[in-house]
Amino acid sequence: MSLRRSVFLAAAATLLAACAHSPDKPAAVAKAGADSVTLDSIVPLPARVQPAAKPATVRVDAATPLQACGEPAQAAAQYFVELLARTRQWNLVSGCVDKPADGIRFVLDAAATTADEGYSLSVQAGVIDVRARSEAGLFYGAVSLWQLISARDDAAVELQAGRIDDAPRYVWRGLMLDSARHYQPPAFIEKLIDAMALHKLNTLHWHLTDDQGWRIEIKKYPRLTEVGAWRVPPGPAAAKDIDAATGKPRLYGGFYTQDEIRHLVAYAAQRHITIVPEIDMPGHAQAAIAAYPKLGTGDKPKVSVDWGVHTYLLNVDESTFEFIDGVLDEVVDLFPSTYIHIGGDEAAKDRWAASKSVQAKRRKLGLADDAALQSWFVHRLEQSLERHGRKLIGWDEILEGGKLPESASVMSWRGTKGAIDAARAGHDVVLSPSPDLYINNLQSDAPDEPPGRYDAVVTLEKLYGFEPTPAELDAQQARHVLGAQANLWVEHIRTTERVEHAVFPRLAALAEVDWSPRERRDWNGFLQRLPAQLRRYRSLGIDYADSAFAVRAAVQTDAQAADAVTVTLANQTGFGSIRYTRDGSTPQADSPAYTAPLQLPLGTTLQATAFAGSQALGKPLQLSLDASTLRRRSSGELKPCRDNGLVLRLEDDAPLQGLRKFYSVDIFDACWIWPQAPLAGAREIAIDVGSIPYNFQLWHDIKHVKRRKPATAQGELEIRRGSCEGKPWLRLPLKPALGNPTTTTLRATLPEGLAAQDLCFVFTRPDTRTLWTIDAVQL
């Protein structure tokens, strides 16, 4: 939650609609009373909660006895103790006696009627009994009990008497982490695994290879990491960063040694999480081909610094399959998972089509086209994995070109159609459709939301509303749905802090989608349980996003009162009570409550925060209501010029160390509109512009890119009035900005007598290597 919250000058009606409900405290707290915790105060929501017939509570504090007999029960109890020590600073001591007294008991019971990953949790007569017939179930029971106790910060917690009978809805409850585009240290992977376990997720899909990096050590082929794990970042700043040891630009990247991977696999297994590796084939293979060019079709590429769809594919020679077998030999030795993910997506076949040897092989095999050749390729991979006793899973493109091997499973990312087709054909499926479960998409349209895809905002509510089992499947076909998985692609998410921002708290929503019965899921109930989860994040050092709760402001001027404005406040979910101050101080839970738009004089410094009870749900909005603020717009507050573009929030390439600016820009058409810009009385326009590398491989989408012819060799920023068509009203040369690694302010004097009207901003470009973008516009 390190992001500064700034004003978002949006339509007031939109913000008012978000204020449909604003409970002052979570319903679970209100229902249970101030001194007790209900048994449904858990994320994900348990399958069944039965309160005791006669209301009662059981008290738990730092001196509560804890009993666990046998190694599995002791392991679950120890994990529970460690969680309480980290989040409550309690140091419970576990033991094992024949006739335990009142307190907490962990019991692994082979005769328990719980499901494979299920557990029961009973609270009655001074005893809290956690019981399961599997180690995984007992572990999840321990997590649930920890959540109940950590729902409050009191010295002692009163749990309402009753019983939980819980088990997951799906067997695949997953998160995909892309470590190929940006390497994350092993310690961070451990932290993510810990957090997954506390959400009862059980599958980490680890994307380890791609065009931009090969991250897994393969001893038989050392150049995969010696060459394929490293690249020089794009842009002039990186090109000038010379490594003294080599005299060349400093390399960026990294890889995981086999010892590190074995440790992470074991670490995850202790938390009942399976790591499923992905080795992407035949596409997304440029890093591998850079290391061993004979794997390709003739060219010798470098490890890519571009994002998008590349055309380098593995060839179909027998020597390439020998290479693949050698890689898989070591992969299956490192990862004991049932499934190995082989990718299979976005295999742009231009180079296959142009290769005489590939086409000769296709004809020899009697295959009609290159789609059929990829299907044949997938069959070869399936045969190799079958020899190792493993199963193949791949993205939904593996359904194309021919019949899929019977044992193969499909991960559907291009919507749900792939899952529907595969399940109807008898294949197991995992749902991970874009954009619904792509958490590299921004989670709000706020201007300070950090980099990611902006063309499809995936809010917390949108993700929570996803249903993994498509309605088109009948009961028999639905049995093939293994579960759902959120995917985090990190092209534009460079740091681990931003990974956390993208993942949390959306991981909590995914957990409920995957675990809780469909009929039990309730958005409002989830919101009411979330504040306690956010407190747990803080105690565990998880840097989550407050996007769902951060207060935003719509500011309207009044022609009749030039020295005052009307401010409408709201947050994305409408949850919480908004408290505000007018003197620049930080709002507290007892600050004035926002109930209606505020009439405020210019010069006011407004702050506002949403609260659930006494808990702040996010960082405060800080807004200086002065003429300068009202006449300023960032790139994230400006409107893209077209509806069918590809809007990204992109980070600058400089400075190499420390914080960087980020910009919202349509990479198909770098064009922005300021609707009804307040030009009346303005004497100057100042525009902060930046330049970043245009490092995108757009394949067939290149036809959508619009280039404007420059009037000078360096290019210009053009401003039009009323629309984006016609001749420029103002033309600002880009020459002063050339060579500046950060932002440059371009200025122009405005004529008198202007009235409010739309302004359109576009750049002309003399080349395709640079993407010019707006940082902010000030009138």
Side-chain angles (χ1 to χ4, degrees):
M1 298 202 310
S2 58
L3 297 175
R4 177 184 60 84
R5 284 292 163 194
S6 61
V7 63
F8 182 71
L9 297 160
T14 302
L15 290 173
L16 284 171
C19 290
H21 59 92
S22 55
D24 188 57
K25 60 177 62 179
V29 173
K31 180 175 65 174
D35 299 321
S36 60
V37 175
T38 59
L39 296 184
D40 57 2
S41 303
I42 295 172
V43 178
L45 189 66
R48 184 172 182 268
V49 174
Q50 183 65 45
K54 184 178 180 181
T57 63
V58 173
R59 178 185 175 91
V60 184
D61 59 28
T64 298
L66 173 59
Q67 300 295 326
C69 296
E71 186 175 340
Q74 289 172 357
Q78 184 58 37
Y79 197 70
F80 169 74
V81 167
E82 291 171 0
L83 285 173
L84 284 181
R86 293 179 64 190
T87 57
R88 296 299 312 271
Q89 290 72 55
W90 291 5
N91 293 299
L92 272 63
V93 178
S94 64
C96 175
V97 298
D98 292 337
K99 295 181 180 180
D102 292 354
I104 300 170
R105 304 172 187 170
F106 285 93
V107 181
L108 186 66
D109 182 359
T113 58
T114 56
D116 285 346
E117 294 181 282
Y119 65 92
S120 66
L121 194 159
S122 173
V123 180
Q124 59 181 349
V127 175
I128 301 173
D129 184 90
V130 182
R131 190 172 297 263
R133 65 181 175 89
S134 72
E135 294 182 32
L138 199 60
F139 179 88
Y140 294 137
V143 169
S144 289
L145 181 57
W146 163 71
Q147 283 202 19
L148 292 173
I149 295 174
S150 61
R152 301 287 177 78
D153 293 329
D154 306 328
V157 177
E158 298 283 344
L159 302 185
Q160 283 199 335
R163 180 182 173 92
I164 296 174
D165 289 290
D166 200 10
R169 183 182 177 195
Y170 294 106
V171 298
W172 186 300
R173 306 182 299 280
L175 172 68
M176 189 222 72
L177 176 65
D178 170 12
S179 295
R181 275 55 178 266
H182 294 291
Y183 167 87
Q184 302 95 18
F188 178 77
I189 308 295
E190 288 185 7
K191 183 179 182 181
L192 192 63
I193 289 168
D194 277 327
M196 290 177 63
L198 299 182
H199 291 80
K200 301 186 176 78
L201 300 183
N202 67 352
T203 305
L204 174 61
H205 169 183
W206 202 6
H207 187 79
L208 288 166
T209 72
D210 215 295
D211 300 299
Q212 299 82 11
W214 183 285
R215 304 285 176 229
I216 174 175
E217 179 188 25
I218 302 296
K219 293 184 181 297
K220 187 174 182 178
Y221 301 107
R223 286 180 60 82
L224 287 172
T225 47
E226 290 172 358
V227 174
W230 308 94
R231 64 181 188 259
V232 177
K240 295 176 182 177
D241 181 29
I242 304 301
D243 186 344
T246 64
K248 298 179 180 179
R250 196 179 312 277
L251 295 175
Y252 173 85
F255 64 94
Y256 304 97
T257 68
Q258 294 199 355
D259 286 343
E260 288 172 333
I261 290 171
R262 288 190 179 92
H263 169 76
L264 289 170
V265 168
Y267 190 88
Q270 291 172 350
R271 290 147 183 81
H272 302 278
I273 290 173
T274 298
I275 300 181
V276 174
E278 180 182 353
I279 310 298
D280 214 336
M281 299 176 280
H284 289 291
Q286 186 167 328
I289 297 171
Y292 293 99
K294 289 184 179 180
L295 298 172
T297 54
D299 291 356
K300 297 180 180 181
K302 294 182 178 180
V303 177
S304 181
V305 299
D306 294 342
W307 313 127
V309 179
H310 296 57
T311 58
Y312 284 94
L313 270 60
L314 299 177
N315 64 42
V316 291
D317 296 342
E318 285 306 308
S319 59
T320 296
F321 287 103
E322 291 174 8
F323 164 83
I324 292 171
D325 286 341
V327 169
L328 291 179
D329 285 344
E330 298 190 33
V331 168
V332 299
D333 183 59
L334 293 169
F335 296 93
S337 56
T338 299
Y339 288 98
I340 303 295
H341 203 298
I342 57 90
D345 62 312
E346 297 180 327
K349 300 175 179 63
D350 304 53
R351 293 178 188 272
W352 271 9
S355 169
K356 292 181 179 179
S357 62
V358 169
Q359 292 306 308
K361 181 68 170 282
R362 178 185 63 78
R363 290 190 294 270
K364 183 178 179 180
L365 294 169
L367 300 174
D369 53 29
D370 289 337
L373 184 60
Q374 182 175 350
S375 179
W376 172 83
F377 193 105
V378 170
H379 277 263
R380 287 290 301 264
L381 298 181
E382 189 273 340
Q383 291 168 8
S384 180
L385 289 173
E386 187 177 33
R387 288 194 297 272
H388 290 96
R390 306 301 180 87
K391 291 184 178 181
L392 178 150
I393 188 169
W395 303 110
D396 54 66
E397 284 96 330
I398 67 174
L399 288 165
E400 300 169 357
K403 183 176 174 57
L404 192 62
E406 290 184 6
S407 65
S409 298
V410 172
M411 190 169 281
S412 187
W413 76 275
R414 296 179 301 175
T416 60
K417 185 179 183 301
I420 294 167
D421 292 345
R424 285 174 173 169
H427 299 283
D428 288 343
V429 298
V430 175
L431 277 292
S432 60
S434 172
D436 304 68
L437 298 185
Y438 269 47
I439 57 175
N440 50 300
N441 287 288
L442 302 190
Q443 50 201 310
S444 85
D445 58 2
D448 56 359
E449 194 73 42
R453 286 191 70 123
Y454 193 22
D455 53 328
V457 173
V458 177
T459 65
L460 187 66
E461 183 175 11
K462 181 180 178 69
L463 197 152
Y464 187 86
F466 179 74
E467 170 50 38
T469 300
E472 295 87 342
L473 300 180
D474 62 29
Q476 180 62 34
Q477 295 162 350
R479 293 191 181 98
H480 288 292
V481 177
L482 300 178
Q485 171 180 290
N487 292 338
L488 182 61
W489 304 103
V490 301
E491 289 99 328
H492 313 302
I493 303 175
R494 179 175 55 91
T495 67
T496 55
E497 291 82 6
R498 286 181 176 165
V499 169
E500 289 183 272
H501 182 94
V503 171
F504 304 101
R506 289 189 289 190
L507 198 71
L510 174 73
E512 205 137 300
V513 167
D514 268 330
W515 182 282
S516 306
R518 183 176 184 179
E519 63 276 9
R520 289 269 289 157
R521 279 165 46 203
D522 173 68
W523 167 241
N524 289 328
F526 173 73
L527 284 178
Q528 292 155 4
R529 284 175 282 116
L530 201 52
Q533 190 77 343
L534 301 183
R535 287 198 302 274
R536 297 181 191 108
Y537 290 162
R538 290 196 296 274
S539 66
L540 293 169
I542 294 173
D543 193 19
Y544 63 91
D546 66 350
S547 309
F549 307 111
V551 178
R552 296 163 57 192
V555 181
Q556 291 183 324
T557 57
D558 187 344
Q560 305 303 317
D563 60 346
V565 294
T566 300
V567 180
T568 303
L569 301 177
N571 65 15
Q572 185 187 84
T573 59
F575 180 77
S577 175
I578 295 177
R579 304 284 173 162
Y580 69 93
T581 62
R582 301 169 54 170
D583 60 0
S585 61
T586 301
Q588 306 298 322
D590 59 354
S591 296
Y594 173 83
T595 57
L598 304 172
Q599 306 290 328
L600 299 173
L602 288 181
T604 301
T605 299
L606 178 71
Q607 291 207 39
T609 308
F611 285 84
S614 62
Q615 178 181 340
L617 296 174
K619 291 288 186 182
L621 164 76
Q622 302 179 35
L623 175 59
S624 297
L625 294 170
D626 53 42
S628 177
T629 300
L630 300 180
R631 292 177 177 270
R632 183 179 179 85
R633 296 292 185 273
S634 69
S635 63
E637 293 167 315
L638 298 173
K639 179 184 175 184
C641 296
R642 60 198 236 185
D643 296 329
N644 61 342
L646 179 53
V647 181
L648 302 176
R649 189 156 288 173
L650 299 174
E651 186 181 57
D652 206 335
D653 61 315
L656 293 178
Q657 304 298 325
L659 295 176
R660 302 178 184 177
K661 287 182 176 291
F662 48 84
Y663 318 103
S664 292
V665 56
D666 181 350
I667 66 168
F668 287 169
D669 187 5
C671 177
W672 299 259
I673 295 175
W674 185 343
Q676 291 300 293
L679 292 169
R683 295 291 177 264
E684 183 184 60
I685 187 169
I687 307 170
D688 297 332
V689 302
S691 61
I692 52 181
Y694 197 86
N695 58 319
F696 302 100
Q697 294 279 344
L698 297 177
W699 198 33
H700 293 161
D701 284 333
I702 192 69
K703 62 180 179 291
H704 299 303
V705 176
K706 186 169 184 177
R707 286 188 60 195
R708 294 174 174 84
K709 187 177 180 180
T712 63
Q714 296 81 19
E716 303 82 29
L717 169 63
E718 297 180 343
I719 307 174
R720 292 174 172 81
R721 293 190 294 175
S723 75
C724 293
E725 305 303 321
K727 293 183 178 181
W729 174 48
L730 297 172
R731 183 179 279 140
L732 284 69
L734 290 173
K735 185 176 181 180
L738 295 178
N740 186 355
T742 56
T743 57
T744 302
T745 303
L746 306 179
R747 301 178 184 274
T749 301
L750 300 179
E752 297 183 6
L754 296 174
Q757 58 187 302
D758 292 356
L759 292 184
C760 176
F761 305 87
V762 299
F763 288 97
T764 65
R765 288 201 295 162
D767 62 67
T768 59
R769 299 185 301 275
T770 302
L771 176 62
W772 288 95
T773 182
I774 288 175
D775 179 35
V777 182
Q778 178 75 61
L779 293 172

